[in-house]
Structure formats: C-alpha cells, structure tokens
Amino acid sequence: MTDVKQIVNLKFTLNGKAVEVDCEAEETLAEVLRDRLNLTGTKISCEVQVCGACTVLVDGLPVSSCTLLAYEARGKNVTSIEGLAKPDGTLHPIQQAFIDEFAFQCGFCTPGMILAAKALLDENPKPSRDEIVHFMDGNICRCTGYVPIVRAIQKVAGTLESKHHK
Amino acid sequence: MQQEKKKGDFRVVNHAIPRRDGRAKVTGRATYVSDVKLVGMAWAKVLRSPYPHAKIISIDTSKAAARPGVYGVLTGNDLEGINPYYGHAVKDHPLLAIGKVRYVGEPVAAVVAVDERTAFEALEFIEVKYEELKPVLTHDEAMAKDAPLLHDRVFEAGALRGFEGDTTAGKGSNICQAHHIQWGNVEEAFKNAAAVVEGEYYFPMTYAYAMEAYVAIADVNDNGVTVYSSAQHPFMVRHDLKAIFNLPVSQVRLVVPFVGGGYGSKSYTKIEPLAAACSWKFKRPVKLQLTIEEAMLTTRSDDALTWMRTAVDANGKIIARQAKILMNTGAYAENSPLVVEKSTNRCVGPYSIPNVQIDNYSFYTNTVPASSYRGFGCAQVTLPGESQIDELAAKIGKDSYEFRVMNAAKNGEEFFPKMRPFEGSLKQDLDIAAKALRWNEPAPKGRAKSIACSTSDAGAYPLTSTAIRVHADGSVTILTGSTELGQGSHTVLPQIAAEELGIPFDKVHVMSSDTAITPYDRSTGASRTTTLMGSAMIDACREAIQQMVAMAADVLKVKTEQIQVIPGGIRAGEIQLNWSQIISKYYALPDGEVIGRAYIRKAGRFAQIPVFWETVSTGVEVAIDEETGKIDVEKLVTVGDVGLAINPALAEGQDIGAATMGLGTGLYEELVYEGSQLMNGSILEYRLPRFKDTAKEIELNLVENQDGAGPYGAKGGGEGSLNSMAANIANAVARATGVRIRHAPLTPERVWRALKEQKAK
C-alpha cells in the first residue's frame, strides 16, 4: 500500500456551470460534491447503492453518487438538488409538489427522491401509479410510508385525483 | 385542560399548513450534523470488537499512531481524568471498551486523523490481543445457572431519576431489569373462566434505520464541551457529558440541527461521549460519523418472548390476563429498563380487565445493546395481546371487532389502577376502522381483514420549559428544546404560537435545540412534544400577552382591567394597538422585546401519569399467496385518537409512517443472529418497506374529540399505528387460512412452512 495519493484533475458541468476540481482518484462523486464543492444537499446513507439518498442525475439519468467514482463523471452533465430551483428561487414543480403533499418528514431522503422523480418524469411525463412505484423502488424513505411521495409525483404529472387537506 | 376553543374556531391550529422546513428540505439547504464542518476539525474512525465476549489483554496503537495524518489513537487505557461510564438508566456503558468487550461491534479504539479516510486506513494497524470468554447470547443462556456474568458490579443511576438503577448485575445474575404489575386475583379468575387462550409469541429484534446514521462533532476546550449531534434528547445527553467530564451544566452545550430520522433510535446518549473523549484527548474538534453498518452495531430494539394467557367469562367479558415476558437487552442497559416497564404496562391493552399479572425480565447478553424504538415495547406485547383477542373471539364464536368494542376501556374509566383514567373514544375509533374496511362484507377469496388496537401510557415524564420572544416588529422567535426529527415540531409549535398571539404563521420562527440557548425540555420522544411543548407554548404566549397588557396600560395610562385582548393586540376603549406598537411605544424605540416563559412539571393537569393515553386502531386487508407464503397488504386503515390534530396532514403523516414501519416488522424486518454474529447487519440484507410494499388503498382517519390534556384537548401521535400491525398481519393470516402464527415477522418462508405443517396434520 502506498501513502502517495494520486490526484486527478476533473472537469464536468454541474447544475449548468462548468466546474474544475482536483480530487483523489478513489473519491466518489458524492464526496467531491459534498467535501470538495461544499454542496451538502446530496445525502449519504447506505453507501452501497441500495437506498437512493445520494441520487444525482448524470446526463439526465439517476445515479448513486456514493458508489460512482467522481472520475466517471468527467466531461458529463451532473445535476444535484442544488441545481433544481431557478436562480430567482422559484422551486421546480417537483420540489413544490413535495411541499404541498407533505412528501417528506426528516428530509434526508428527499434530495435523492426528488431527483429520481425528475428522471422519471423527464422520461415519462404521465406515469401510472405502477410505473411510479416501479421506477422509485430504488429509493428508501423511512418516514412517510411513500404514499405522499407517490401523490406528489402524480400531482406534477397532473394525474392526482383528489385534493388533500385544502 | 386548555380547550376553550372548539374545533372549527381555530385560525391557524387544526389546519394543514405546509411544513416550516419545507423549502430547506426540498432544496438541499437543510443542515444536518453530517453536513457540518468546524475549522480545524479532525475525523475519528472506530475499531470494533470481533468477539462477543473477551478480555482485552493488550492494545498496541503505536503503528497506527505513527502513520502520516494521524493525530492519535484513543483506547480504554487512555481515559484517566474523565468518568468513562455513562447511561441515563444505569451507568454501565463505557465510551470505549475497558478491559473487556461485550459484543461483536463494540468500540475498542478510535483513530483521530486529518480526514476520514486516513483515520479509516489506520485502523488495521492497531493490534489488539483478546482472550475469549464464553458468550451469553440468548434469554436461556443468560438465565442458565452457570452463565457467565456480563457485568460484575452494581451501577450508579443516571439522569432517569426515579428509576433506581435496580439492576441485578453484580448480584449473581444477568437480569438487567425486572418489572411487575398485578391487580385482582389472576389464579382465581382463570379457574372460573368460561374460556381461556394461552400461547407463546416472539417479536424480533429490529433496526430503526434512520437514513442519517449516528453523527457527532465534539469540541472540548477550556470553555467546556460543545457537541453537535443527531440526538433526539439533547438535554439527556448533556447530563451524561456533564458527568463524564465533571463539568457544570452551564459548560456543556448540545446543538441539534435537523435530524435525519430518529424513531427512538437516537433517543439518549449514543456516540457523543466517544467523540467528546477524542476531542478532549487530541485537543481539537473531532467529527465521528458512523456508517449504517456501524449504526446497526450501535442500537436495536429489544426482542420479546412472551407467554400469555387471557380469559373471558360466560358473557364474553375479558376477566383476566397474565403474561411473562423475556427480553434480550444486549450488552448494555441503554433505555431497555424503561422499555421493560412500558412493555409491561402496555400488555394490558385498551381494555378494562379486572385481574392482571404481568412479569417482565430483560437480560444482558453479548449482543448489540437494545434501546428505544418507536412505541417503546408496545409492538412487542401487542402482537401477543391483540392475537389473543382474536383467538379468544374465535374460541367463543364472537366477531373479533364486536368483542373488542364490548371490552373497550371507556372515556374516564380508571382501567389501569392508579394511572390517569382513559381519555379517548375507542368504540368510535373501532367503528371507523370497521366501516373503512367494510367489515361486514366478506373479504374476496385469498384475502382476509383484521382490526386491532392498542393504547400506550405515553408522554414520558412531564418536564418541559420554553420561552418565546416577541420582537418590536411583532415577529416572534420560539426557543424550544424539542428537536425537529421530521415529525413536524417546528411547524406545529409556531402554529400554536400564531393562534395564541393572533398573528400570521409566517411571523413565527423557531430556534432549534441548543442547550445553551433553548430552555430545558426533557426529551423529544414518547409522542410527547405536541402535548407537553404545545401546552408550554400556550402558557408562554399567554404570559407574554399578560406582560404586553401591562405595558399597554403603562403606555396608555389606563388600568389593565380596561384593556381587552384581541387577535394580534389589545383594545382600550377606542384605541387599538398591535404587539409591535405596544413594544415600540413602551421602549420609545422600534426595538426591544418581550419574553414569555412557561414551565411544565408533574403538577396541575399533568399531575397524573401518563401524560396521555396514545390510542390507535388500525386495520388491514391482506392477500395471502398460499403457494409462496407471500403476504400483500391491499388495504391499510389507521384511526388516530388524537384529541385534536394541530396539523392534520402532519398527524396523518405520522400515522402512515408508523404503520409502514409496523408492517415492516409484521412482514419482514428482523435482525438475525447466528451465534454471536449479526447475519444481516447491512441494508443489503435487512429488508425494509419499499415503494412496492405500499398498500394499494389507504385510509387515514383522525378522531378529534378534544379530550386530551394537551393544547386545546390535543393528545400525541406518531407511535400508535405501528404497535398493532404485526398482530393485524397474524390475525389476517389466521382468518384466511386457519393457521395461527405467533412469531413475527410473518415472512413468506414462515407462512409457507406454517401452512405446510397445517396440511400435514
């Protein structure tokens, strides 16, 4: 084992802006986002690609950033939760729907959940309940029982049948 | 009771106002301890015991300590100068193993280094020599006559005063805690019973899986101890740290930002003492962030092996219940002594039973320490309790729902001797559940329905204080020690303040748990925050209003009797002033403030324990695949008897969340030990409820009769709908197949085997 760390220079597009960062070769994308770029919205939980908390979009596809080497994101288009709202603060419709439908409690799974939902809706703007459940099954939420999350996604898709608490 | 206003009168309270933390949480800006960095901060990583029970012969840290970037290695040999044992029940838990390890995964040493990776890489260079001892792993092994003792001395009691630390450790056994309740004459009642059911039930060890694993950042310096922590009960942790470092309370500060899930697993002290000891030794701030696998080696729930029998008379009235419960508490007491007490009480259920005897014992074993888990022992004993209600109903040919209604405790009835009389409307709750499930209609083929209920002596100990600051611009800051775990305390509390002060919700903000700033609140658990902190909030607002009335009288040169309080301010004759005008005129500047305070203690409306009865009815309709044993939940119903929902959406969110965890333990969640090794100690192998497991049809109901001791007659919620879920699953399987399974979780394999055995008979 060597104590000399191999440093790599990494360039990619993050939330629409070009970034350049030096990191160790073995660093994950989640580590680079959180520790090098101070974007802590990406959460780390299971660290084995099972819970979805660390989900970010790489070229529009949902990826577990806890197990993706940052190097693999070179030259690509990365979207983290910090990149979703408009610069004027207007929330993305999915973010707003999560608030309106009480689709989170502790909030730790929420960034990954919202980005997974974005990937789904970008690919399939009107998913059925079964399609939502199937697509989102890789994201764990321990607080909500999932039901309000499904509702929030249906709300954005325009398929939510009844209004809740209004 | 604070219930002058009736449902329908409220302006802010009892409305589903969106969460105060909503924007922060959907934009990734909400700060959790895992996101916090301090200047000069080092990182710690923990070396853990590979043995369940062993003497530590020697630890050589020299190679690890010599590595580049390593500041040092802390072991149990380096703790001279502090008191390394902690525990709010009994102080049996060393912050690092001292001389002996007691479970696989126990912290043995901590490397402190410049970053996390460097600390981690140094772990393998620590050399520990162990001498293995015979482990004690099960209830039976713990009780054996020649069992090795886990602890060989009696311990001092911790912050849980009133609990006398009655551990028998050092008295020749491995019993950690025993608790007994008894009234009436059980033997006589069973002799005269018309029908009796009896059986042995097992509820497994489970893991709460808060998505955020335990994390703490400690900074110990000449000014004292500061710890940023994911703790649910910062003031209880402060008590442990104060004792460890022998400091005055004023020099110990716990700061808790947003917490990434707790469910009881972050109750009480966990890794804070170790992080603080690392900071103390190596003289810099230290962050200790556990992985999920490490968190699974830090705490779990107590399992319960319960023998129970229940009897009815010829009229179908339940006349007796007796149970003996054995719980596996693991290597250290943690909160298990309280879990034992609560599970004993919760065996009775929401029924009026004239003859009761419950004997409960928890045992120290060489396994991961058990502690609080949502519901505090209630789910463990509601599996047997509510199974037997169905078993008895079937035996005497009664409908199980009608049998429950017939025996339900009534509002105002002292169904549990010496406790607060029952406050709730169980019959109404059960009726709602039955209607939602279309109880009178037969279930489709291959399906079955179940209704179950539970009540818990909830609210823990009533000691809560708070302060609100009304600023000169009329905005308000709440100082509360109730942590925001996701349950919504930072939304509910400002709702109450806005209601009381007659101001918009948006003008009220919350300063979160910081023991140096926010007044003392004993805990955020046991569903107590709405009831206790909510009551304190009303009192603090009313005290602030009283002060502002006096200030207005001074400013207007009138008597206070001439002043009438109106929403948002006062009126005196023709003159109206809002709070901002009163404060600004009083100080003759548009600055300054008024501080309203409140102290809740075990007196007045909270003189009698429990603070409230948390009563929930639940129901399911499940489909059972007899070929595979797989159970699908088709329909889920919850009925929360909450008194008044301060925020109905949040209250329902608690019910569906807790019910989902309950379905997890009913269907597949279980920590599996094979010998001393935890076999599924990772989230790859520990099966959690996922999107695909959600019921297709869900109906969440709240019963609001304003009959609690909390604000406007509110009671707490958040744990209740978990408790009866495993029993619901077992009862539904019994109704569908005729096979009674008394062992949770009802995994496909367990169901399939039980059905196969039945066929073989």
Side-chain angles (χ1 to χ4, degrees):
Chain A
M1 174 176 165
T2 167
D3 286 334
V4 181
K5 313 268 187 194
Q6 198 193 342
I7 301 293
V8 293
N9 178 268
L10 204 60
K11 290 177 190 165
F12 59 100
T13 305
L14 176 61
N15 299 329
K17 286 197 172 172
V19 292
E20 183 173 353
V21 60
D22 288 334
C23 68
E24 292 170 28
E26 70 252 43
E27 280 181 47
T28 65
L29 182 57
E31 287 173 315
V32 167
L33 291 174
R34 288 177 54 83
D35 300 335
R36 304 265 174 197
L37 299 169
N38 288 316
L39 293 177
T40 55
T42 301
K43 297 300 179 216
I44 295 179
S45 182
C46 76
E47 297 183 270
V48 285
Q49 217 176 331
V50 169
C51 78
C54 66
T55 302
V56 299
L57 304 183
V58 176
D59 287 346
L61 294 176
V63 165
S64 294
S65 64
C66 74
T67 43
L68 184 81
L69 287 176
Y71 183 70
E72 298 293 338
R74 68 192 184 285
K76 296 197 171 159
N77 218 322
V78 177
T79 305
S80 71
I81 191 67
E82 291 87 352
L84 240 57
K86 287 189 185 151
D88 71 356
T90 310
L91 296 178
H92 187 281
I94 302 174
Q95 292 173 310
Q96 189 60 50
F98 267 62
I99 294 177
D100 294 343
E101 292 301 322
F102 295 83
F104 55 88
Q105 290 177 24
C106 84
F108 208 76
C109 73
T110 310
M113 204 63 87
I114 287 175
L115 287 167
K118 182 175 188 303
L120 165 64
L121 292 170
D122 286 349
E123 177 191 301
N124 179 1
K126 289 228 182 287
S128 66
R129 183 191 176 277
D130 284 352
E131 285 171 331
I132 294 171
V133 162
H134 181 77
F135 191 94
M136 298 297 293
D137 206 45
N139 287 64
I140 291 175
C141 170
R142 195 57 161 156
C143 294
T144 65
Y146 302 104
V147 177
I149 300 175
V150 174
R151 291 178 63 90
I153 296 171
Q154 287 174 325
K155 186 171 189 178
V156 179
T159 57
L160 187 58
E161 280 165 14
S162 61
K163 276 204 158 184
H164 195 61
H165 291 305
K166 288 287 148 69
Chain B
M1 263 188 252
Q2 298 172 323
Q3 55 157 284
E4 307 92 334
K5 282 190 186 176
K6 290 288 167 204
K7 192 166 165 60
D9 297 344
F10 298 103
R11 203 174 41 82
V12 190
V13 157
N14 203 225
H15 287 75
I17 291 180
R19 296 181 65 102
R20 170 50 52 76
D21 52 11
R23 214 184 150 83
K25 285 182 174 174
V26 300
T27 55
R29 294 288 298 274
T31 300
Y32 303 79
V33 179
S34 38
D35 304 327
V36 174
K37 288 178 191 168
L38 301 184
V39 174
M41 186 179 86
W43 292 77
K45 276 308 229 187
V46 178
L47 182 74
R48 293 173 183 275
S49 167
Y51 298 111
H53 201 189
K55 271 188 197 161
I56 299 173
I57 304 298
S58 65
I59 310 180
D60 183 352
T61 61
S62 54
K63 281 184 199 151
R67 289 181 60 79
V70 172
Y71 297 124
V73 182
L74 189 74
T75 75
N77 299 326
D78 306 320
L79 303 176
E80 203 170 313
I82 59 176
N83 306 310
Y85 288 89
Y86 68 94
H88 62 285
V90 288
K91 298 193 182 200
D92 62 355
H93 205 157
L95 60 92
L96 277 173
I98 298 174
K100 194 174 171 184
V101 289
R102 293 185 177 84
Y103 70 94
V104 173
E106 178 162 11
V108 172
V111 174
V112 178
V114 62
D115 59 35
E116 197 171 22
R117 205 180 296 265
T118 306
F120 176 75
E121 285 170 0
L123 291 178
E124 63 177 298
F125 294 90
I126 301 172
E127 288 167 19
V128 188
K129 286 204 176 79
Y130 297 95
E131 179 188 313
E132 282 189 73
L133 299 168
K134 188 182 166 194
V136 173
L137 300 168
T138 62
H139 312 113
D140 285 345
E141 288 177 25
M143 283 187 287
K145 277 218 170 71
D146 60 342
L149 292 185
L150 262 84
H151 300 278
D152 49 13
R153 61 189 184 90
V154 178
F155 301 103
E156 195 188 327
L160 204 65
R161 292 181 196 87
F163 174 78
E164 293 304 325
D166 185 22
T167 156
T168 50
K171 296 179 195 167
S173 94
N174 283 314
I175 297 175
C176 172
Q177 177 70 0
H179 194 71
H180 310 278
I181 56 171
Q182 191 269 321
W183 61 79
N185 186 334
V186 169
E187 287 306 326
E188 195 68 21
F190 277 102
K191 242 182 258 167
N192 300 327
V196 176
V197 291
E198 179 176 345
E200 198 172 84
Y201 303 79
Y202 182 73
F203 192 91
M205 303 172 185
T206 56
Y207 173 59
Y209 190 39
M211 302 274 303
E212 176 198 41
Y214 299 106
V215 54
I217 303 171
D219 190 2
V220 180
N221 56 38
D222 293 344
N223 292 322
V225 174
T226 299
V227 181
Y228 297 80
S229 168
S230 56
Q232 285 182 231
H233 312 336
F235 288 89
M236 294 297 246
V237 179
R238 181 181 72 173
H239 189 281
D240 273 328
L241 289 172
K242 162 195 152 55
I244 289 169
F245 292 96
N246 196 24
L247 287 170
V249 163
S250 56
Q251 277 187 270
V252 182
R253 180 181 179 199
L254 265 288
V255 185
V256 181
F258 287 122
V259 178
Y263 327 107
S265 71
K266 290 173 181 165
S267 297
Y268 306 102
T269 305
K270 292 288 185 287
I271 61 170
E272 297 87 354
L274 179 52
C278 288
S279 173
W280 163 76
K281 198 69 178 181
F282 301 111
K283 299 187 170 47
R284 63 191 78 230
V286 174
K287 184 170 190 172
L288 175 57
Q289 167 79 67
L290 300 195
T291 64
I292 290 294
E293 282 77 8
E294 287 182 290
M296 294 180 87
L297 295 172
T298 301
T299 198
R300 61 170 171 85
S301 72
D302 290 84
D303 69 352
L305 180 65
T306 304
W307 167 83
M308 183 183 275
R309 59 175 178 162
T310 309
V312 285
D313 66 15
N315 301 318
K317 163 96 183 89
I318 303 172
I319 53 167
R321 173 166 282 179
Q322 185 178 10
K324 187 176 176 186
I325 307 162
L326 307 177
M327 300 183 121
N328 185 335
T329 277
Y332 299 103
E334 294 252 334
N335 202 37
S336 291
L338 204 60
V339 172
V340 169
E341 189 182 314
K342 291 295 176 187
S343 56
T344 308
N345 295 344
R346 291 165 185 187
C347 254
V348 178
Y351 304 108
S352 186
I353 307 178
N355 303 286
V356 167
Q357 186 180 338
I358 316 289
D359 299 291
N360 196 338
Y361 302 86
S362 74
F363 295 93
Y364 283 126
T365 65
N366 294 110
T367 59
V368 171
S371 194
S372 312
Y373 175 82
R374 201 172 197 167
F376 266 109
C378 190
Q380 284 93 323
V381 296
T382 302
L383 171 67
E386 284 295 281
S387 292
Q388 292 209 334
I389 296 294
D390 263 43
E391 290 174 63
L392 255 183
K395 194 161 186 176
I396 62 173
K398 269 206 168 9
D399 176 82
S400 63
Y401 145 72
E402 282 166 16
F403 182 57
R404 282 184 172 82
V405 168
M406 182 184 159
N407 284 286
K410 292 176 182 62
N411 193 29
E413 183 179 357
E414 198 192 281
F415 76 113
F416 197 116
K418 298 190 185 109
M419 291 247 208
R420 175 186 290 273
F422 189 67
E423 289 166 344
S425 47
L426 184 56
K427 181 185 180 308
Q428 187 187 353
D429 306 343
L430 288 165
D431 287 349
I432 291 169
K435 199 174 162 215
L437 280 174
R438 293 185 286 278
W439 187 256
N440 293 327
E441 299 169 21
K445 197 174 170 336
R447 291 194 189 183
K449 305 174 193 180
S450 167
I451 291 178
C453 53
S454 65
T455 198
S456 301
D457 46 335
Y461 193 88
L463 201 179
T464 288
S465 49
T466 191
I468 66 150
R469 301 168 62 191
V470 185
H471 306 290
D473 67 351
S475 67
V476 171
T477 305
I478 291 172
L479 305 183
T480 178
S482 299
T483 46
E484 177 56 270
L485 309 167
Q487 84 283 39
S489 60
H490 288 189
T491 305
V492 163
L493 298 173
Q495 279 185 268
I496 293 172
E499 184 75 42
E500 285 298 312
L501 293 164
I503 59 175
F505 175 72
D506 295 342
K507 282 201 169 186
V508 188
H509 284 81
V510 181
M511 174 70 206
S512 170
S513 309
D514 179 337
T515 63
I517 297 168
T518 54
Y520 185 94
D521 183 23
R522 195 165 166 81
S523 61
T524 305
S527 306
R528 74 197 283 282
T529 296
T530 295
T531 307
L532 292 171
M533 189 55 81
S535 293
M537 200 51 55
I538 290 184
D539 292 355
C541 289
R542 291 182 185 179
E543 203 225 19
I545 289 171
Q546 221 172 26
Q547 294 178 56
M548 291 189 286
V549 165
M551 290 160 82
D554 182 279
V555 165
L556 297 173
K557 311 221 178 328
V558 299
K559 289 189 173 138
T560 52
E561 298 80 52
Q562 292 169 269
I563 291 177
Q564 185 200 350
V565 176
I566 58 172
I570 60 103
R571 178 188 293 140
E574 295 295 299
I575 304 168
Q576 281 194 21
L577 294 177
N578 63 28
W579 307 130
S580 168
Q581 289 166 322
I582 294 170
I583 295 169
S584 303
K585 283 181 192 296
Y586 184 79
Y587 292 113
L589 273 179
D591 275 318
E593 67 182 72
V594 169
I595 301 173
R597 308 156 305 160
Y599 311 104
I600 302 266
R601 64 187 181 113
K602 191 171 171 291
R605 63 190 183 277
F606 298 117
Q608 215 174 0
I609 295 290
V611 170
F612 64 98
W613 290 101
E614 183 171 358
T615 307
V616 175
S617 296
T618 58
V620 295
E621 181 174 317
V622 304
I624 298 143
D625 182 343
E626 298 204 15
E627 292 295 308
T628 62
K630 185 170 185 293
I631 298 170
D632 284 314
V633 181
E634 301 292 332
K635 182 157 185 171
L636 170 67
V637 176
T638 63
V639 188
D641 196 324
V642 296
L644 185 86
I646 304 299
N647 186 315
L650 294 179
E652 288 181 1
Q654 285 299 298
D655 280 349
I656 176 74
T660 304
M661 289 185 111
L663 287 173
T665 53
L667 292 169
Y668 29 72
E669 285 188 46
E670 175 177 30
L671 290 166
V672 179
Y673 269 91
E674 204 171 289
S676 62
Q677 292 291 335
L678 179 59
M679 297 309 285
N680 59 342
S682 112
I683 225 61
L684 289 167
E685 294 122 340
Y686 186 85
R687 169 80 160 84
L688 290 161
R690 286 178 169 268
F691 270 94
K692 280 183 182 156
D693 302 311
T694 53
K696 289 177 191 69
E697 226 184 309
I698 288 168
E699 192 179 312
L700 310 172
N701 302 274
L702 299 171
V703 172
E704 299 180 281
N705 291 326
Q706 293 187 267
D707 51 7
Y712 320 110
K715 295 176 279 191
E719 299 176 294
S721 64
L722 185 156
N723 298 326
S724 48
M725 277 301 155
N728 264 328
I729 300 293
N731 287 344
V733 168
R735 288 169 74 93
T737 66
V739 176
R740 170 58 58 181
I741 299 175
R742 296 187 173 89
H743 191 137
L746 279 80
T747 56
E749 181 182 341
R750 195 162 279 136
V751 173
W752 181 82
R753 284 186 191 283
L755 295 179
K756 201 176 148 200
E757 259 174 52
Q758 164 91 345
K759 275 184 197 149
K761 275 179 195 168

